[in-house]
């Protein structure tokens, strides 16, 4: 049974709701759908699931892009209503005929809806009856297929034995001579499977058509060639190369290569570390980035090439008439070439494949049925829609002004706590020091908490940054509970009057449950103001795996009824990726958290804000 059904404009004006469905919805499923699905370019999905205390809903929707209307149906997830999609399509067709932009009330649509609902339910019932009548016939067919398979079993066995005995040896040789080289280092071409047509797998074909015996022969052959290569270059086990110290310009060799110990024996080895808090210059966070607008009107050449044959087929007169009058309505077939070129372009810029596909589906859903304007190409329309979608995704939905939040916490006489989390080796400690340097430039007192009690050298690394920046560091050594260390650091900062506490944590993979449980405990016990996920700009598809598991792990392993999630992202190593900026889009799309900082170098000043326009321009270049 339907719980709610309504029609509203893209501007948010509700035009019609079903009065018969007067059930009060638990929670706010419609608002959540708009906020986290439609506005976040996830409208290409088939449905949306919403969980509320005591209820679970499924929401389905459809658009009328030309009129700017949205049709939404809500029903209990436990019910599998088969007629909802057809009912929404029928409602869209009927409502578009009576829609008037000047009207705001459509009470006369109630009777039309009742009729459409009866028709949709009747069609579903007819489909169910037809399936029930077809079941005995299908069973007989299956029995016949089983008998036929039993009769052919012996012949297939004999063919398999011939293949394993070398009966197809001549054919295999001929195949190698046709497709590969016949010398010792030949490359064997893989035979196409019977269930693949034009690069797409036909799931309805016979899966057992792939000959496993040929695969076994191929692997055996590969092993033979490997052994032949290894015979010629077999090293002598008696002769072992020993590494010798290199001597430069006949200088005497260094007797000691470990310089981590104190120099004079009394613990003063770190006295010569220079203090750089005052002479590093202005942080890049406070420098505005200027973007040139030379290539704003560029269109992908691949899209133009795909559209040329289509224009030739239509002829000159029809092409010119369409340019003047505009295309009636955009269809899915018209959008596919442009969307494919955009998807390939996004993937070359290091956007995860899953994200690029979902974005293209969402853009297609927002353009399908829309009228193409005069003197406008499909490719430029699709690119403009994709640009709007990318700007909307990357633009933060809330304020990310940390300095304002720090001053607000200072007025309440408590420190502003930031926890840095992420996987191993992404640069959490280094970028924590960059954030500390930026805060010092704005006259904010900072304390660093060494809560990475797992990795060797982590405390010493943070201690070195603290000495160079003249920042106090709270540490308790190794093998301590990070949650307790962070709690004591916050108490110490409250006593000393520090404005900000930057908490460094150990790197952990998203699948490591004990470490993820410890992180969840740290966040729950200390309730930080900001949880920053530190991620590399080098990752591609792995960004999806990291963030899609990091947030759920924090929720599942938390003991709090309202668990904390990632509030923001710090993107590191941004200076090493050239134009492969897709990781920023993948991380924001998966987590919904904004990119608050971007690390772009090795010095303390190399920290800047994410320029959304620059990223979008690079992605669509």
């Amino acid at each position: 049974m339907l719980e709610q059904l309504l029609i509203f404009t893209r501007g948010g004006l509700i035009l019609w709701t079903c009065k018969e469905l007067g059930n009060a919805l638990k929670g706010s499923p419609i608002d959540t759908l708009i906020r986290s699905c439609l506005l976040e370019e996830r409208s290409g999905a088939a449905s949306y699931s919403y969980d509320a205390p005591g209820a679970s809903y499924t929401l389905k929707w459809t658009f009328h892009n030309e009129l700017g209307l949205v049709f939404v149906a809500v029903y209990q997830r436990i019910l599998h209503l088969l007629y909802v999609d057809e009912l929404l399509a029928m409602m869209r067709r009927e409502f578009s005929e009576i829609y008037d932009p000047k009207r705001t009330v459509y009470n006369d649509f109630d009777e039309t809806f009742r009729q459409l609902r009866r028709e949709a339910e009747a069609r579903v019932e007819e489909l169910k009856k037809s399936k029930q009548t077809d079941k005995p016939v299908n069973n007989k067919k299956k029995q016949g297929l089983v008998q036929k398979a039993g009769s052919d079993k012996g012949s297939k066995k004999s063919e398999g034995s011939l293949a394993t005995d070398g009966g197809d040896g001549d054919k295999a040789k001929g195949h190698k001579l046709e497709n590969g080289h016949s010398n010792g280092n030949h490359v064997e071409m893989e035979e196409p499977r019977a269930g693949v047509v034009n690069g797409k797998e036909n799931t309805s074909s016979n899966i057992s058509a792939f000959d496993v015996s040929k695969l076994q022969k191929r692997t055996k052959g590969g092993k033979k060639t490997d052994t032949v290569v290894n015979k010629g270059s077999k090293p002598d086990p008696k002769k072992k190369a020993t590494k010798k110290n290199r001597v430069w310009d006949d200088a005497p060799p260094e007797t000691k290569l470990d310089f981590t110990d104190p120099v004079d024996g009394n613990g003063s080895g770190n006295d010569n570390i220079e203090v750089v808090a005052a002479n590093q210059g202005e942080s890049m966070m406070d420098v505005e980035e200027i973007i040139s607008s030379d290539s704003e009107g560029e269109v992908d050449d691949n899209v133009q090439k795909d559209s040329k044959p289509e224009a030739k087929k239509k002829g000159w007169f029809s092409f010119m008439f369409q340019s003047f009058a505009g295309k009636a309505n955009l269809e899915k077939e018209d959008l596919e070439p442009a969307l494919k070129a955009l998807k390939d372009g996004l993937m070359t810029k290091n956007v995860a494949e899953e994200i690029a596909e979902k974005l293209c589906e969402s853009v297609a859903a927002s353009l399908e049925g829309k009228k193409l304007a005069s003197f406008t190409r499909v490719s430029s329309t699709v690119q403009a829609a994709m640009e709007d979608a990318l700007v909307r995704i990357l633009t933060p939905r809330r304020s990310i002004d940390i300095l304002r939040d720090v001053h607000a916490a200072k007025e309440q006489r408590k420190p502003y706590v930031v926890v840095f989390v992420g996987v191993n080796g992404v640069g959490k400690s280094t970028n924590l020091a960059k954030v500390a340097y930026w805060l010092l430039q704005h006259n904010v007192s900072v304390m660093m908490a060494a809560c990475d009690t797992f990795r060797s050298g982590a405390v010493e690394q943070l201690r070195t940054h603290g000495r160079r920046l003249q920042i106090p560091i709270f540490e308790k050594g190794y093998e301590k509970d990070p949650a307790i260390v962070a709690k004591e650091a916050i108490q110490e900062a409250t006593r000393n009057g520090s404005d900000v506490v930057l908490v460094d944590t150990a790197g952990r993979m998203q699948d490591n449950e004990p470490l993820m449980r410890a992180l969840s405990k740290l966040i729950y016990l200390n309730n930080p103001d900001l949880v920053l996920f530190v991620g590399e700009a080098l990752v591609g598809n792995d960004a999806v795996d990291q963030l899609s598991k990091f947030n759920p792990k924090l929720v599942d392993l938390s003991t709090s009824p309202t668990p904390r999630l990632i509030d923001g992202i710090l993107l590191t190593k941004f200076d090493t990726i050239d134009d492969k900026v897709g990781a920023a889009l993948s991380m924001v799309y998966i987590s919904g958290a904004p990119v608050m900082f971007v690390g772009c170098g090795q010095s303390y000043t190399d920290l800047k804000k994410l320029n959304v326009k620059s990223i979008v321009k690079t992605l669509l270049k």
Side-chain angles (χ1 to χ4, degrees), residues 387-413:
E387 184 176 353
D388 293 340
L390 294 177
V391 170
R392 194 158 49 246
I393 291 169
L394 292 172
T395 303
R397 298 195 301 267
R398 58 177 179 79
S399 173
I400 55 172
D401 190 353
I402 293 181
L403 294 174
R404 189 190 66 180
D405 297 338
V406 168
H407 290 302
K410 190 176 181 180
E411 290 176 358
Q412 298 176 5
R413 296 181 179 179

Side-chain angles (χ1 to χ4, degrees), residues 63-280:
F63 301 113
H64 197 298
N65 292 312
E66 188 178 357
L67 302 178
L69 302 177
V70 185
F71 302 79
V72 180
V74 187
Y75 58 93
Q76 292 283 350
R77 191 186 304 172
I78 196 171
L79 303 174
H80 298 284
L81 302 182
L82 303 177
Y83 62 87
V84 174
D85 292 327
E86 189 172 358
L87 178 62
L88 288 173
M90 294 164 68
M91 285 178 59
R92 180 180 61 183
R93 185 179 65 249
E94 295 294 331
F95 192 82
S96 62
E97 294 179 0
I98 65 170
Y99 175 70
D100 184 3
K102 297 178 181 179
R103 287 181 61 184
T104 56
V105 180
Y106 291 86
N107 294 326
D108 54 338
F109 191 68
D110 293 344
E111 185 59 36
T112 308
F113 166 71
R114 294 190 197 99
Q115 185 178 353
L116 294 176
R117 185 178 180 182
R118 284 194 294 267
E119 289 180 12
E121 290 176 347
R123 287 185 185 179
V124 171
E125 290 297 327
E126 288 178 4
L127 285 173
K128 286 181 180 179
K129 289 178 182 178
S130 61
K131 286 181 180 179
Q132 289 176 358
T133 54
D134 289 344
K135 274 184 180 179
V137 181
N138 292 334
N139 290 334
K140 288 180 181 178
K141 285 182 180 178
K142 286 180 183 177
Q143 289 174 4
L145 287 171
V146 170
Q147 290 175 0
K148 193 174 181 181
S151 62
D152 293 341
K153 196 174 182 182
S155 61
K156 285 186 179 179
K157 279 187 177 179
S158 61
E159 287 175 9
S161 61
L162 283 171
T164 52
D165 291 337
D168 291 338
D170 296 334
K171 292 181 182 178
K173 286 178 184 176
H175 180 68
K176 290 175 189 175
L177 288 171
E178 280 183 359
N179 295 328
H181 300 283
S182 59
N183 55 9
N185 297 325
H186 67 274
V187 180
E188 298 182 10
M189 301 295 289
E190 189 175 356
E191 293 182 3
R193 290 188 286 172
V196 177
V197 181
N198 295 330
K200 296 181 181 178
E201 187 172 359
N202 186 5
T203 53
S204 61
S205 62
N206 189 4
I207 301 172
S208 62
F210 184 75
D211 196 350
V212 183
S213 60
K214 291 183 181 179
L215 180 63
Q216 292 173 353
K217 285 169 66 181
R218 197 173 291 126
T219 52
K220 287 178 183 176
K223 286 179 183 176
K224 285 181 182 177
T225 54
D226 290 343
T227 53
V228 170
V229 173
N230 292 333
K231 279 181 183 177
S233 60
K234 193 173 182 181
D236 190 2
K238 295 179 181 179
K239 297 178 182 179
K240 292 184 178 179
T242 57
K243 189 175 180 180
K244 297 180 180 179
N245 294 333
R246 181 175 293 179
V247 180
W248 298 95
D249 299 330
D250 298 330
E254 293 285 346
T255 56
K256 181 182 177 183
L257 295 176
D258 187 3
F259 297 99
T260 57
D261 294 337
V263 175
D264 52 2
N266 57 4
S268 60
N270 292 318
D271 291 343
N272 57 351
I273 295 178
E274 57 177 341
V275 176
V276 294
N279 57 8
Q280 280 279 314

Side-chain angles (χ1 to χ4, degrees), residues 317-428:
F317 180 77
S318 59
F319 179 73
M320 290 301 297
F321 178 76
Q322 185 176 308
S323 298
F324 280 108
K327 189 173 173 63
N329 285 310
L330 285 172
E331 298 176 359
K332 197 171 184 179
E333 292 76 14
D334 303 325
L335 302 171
E336 280 179 358
L339 288 173
K340 185 180 183 303
L342 273 178
K343 179 186 173 184
D344 295 341
L346 289 173
M347 288 172 62
T348 57
K349 297 296 168 60
N350 217 18
V351 178
E353 182 181 2
E354 180 185 348
I355 307 301
E357 189 171 350
K358 286 182 178 178
L359 275 171
C360 290
E361 288 175 0
S362 179
V363 170
S366 65
L367 289 178
E368 195 173 346
K370 223 172 190 178
K371 189 174 181 180
L372 189 66
S374 303
F375 298 102
T376 309
R377 287 178 296 186
V378 176
S379 57
S380 57
T381 304
V382 171
Q383 187 164 0
M386 180 63 79
E387 184 176 353
D388 293 340
L390 294 177
V391 170
R392 194 158 49 246
I393 291 169
L394 292 172
T395 303
R397 298 195 301 267
R398 58 177 179 79
S399 173
I400 55 172
D401 190 353
I402 293 181
L403 294 174
R404 189 190 66 180
D405 297 338
V406 168
H407 290 302
K410 190 176 181 180
E411 290 176 358
Q412 298 176 5
R413 296 181 179 179
K414 66 174 187 177
Y416 186 82
V417 182
V418 184
V419 175
F420 292 77
V421 302
V423 299
N424 308 76
V426 293
K428 289 183 295 298

Side-chain angles (χ1 to χ4, degrees), residues 15-65:
L15 300 176
W16 178 84
T17 56
C18 184
K19 296 176 182 178
E20 295 179 358
L21 307 175
N23 302 328
L25 297 175
K26 296 181 180 179
S28 54
I30 305 294
D31 295 340
T32 308
L33 172 71
I34 295 170
R35 185 173 59 251
S36 59
C37 188
L38 302 185
L39 293 180
E40 290 295 318
E41 296 302 325
R42 292 178 173 86
S43 56
S47 61
Y48 178 76
S49 298
Y50 176 81
D51 293 319
S56 297
Y57 298 113
T58 297
L59 291 87
K60 289 194 174 184
W61 63 91
T62 187
F63 301 113
H64 197 298
N65 292 312

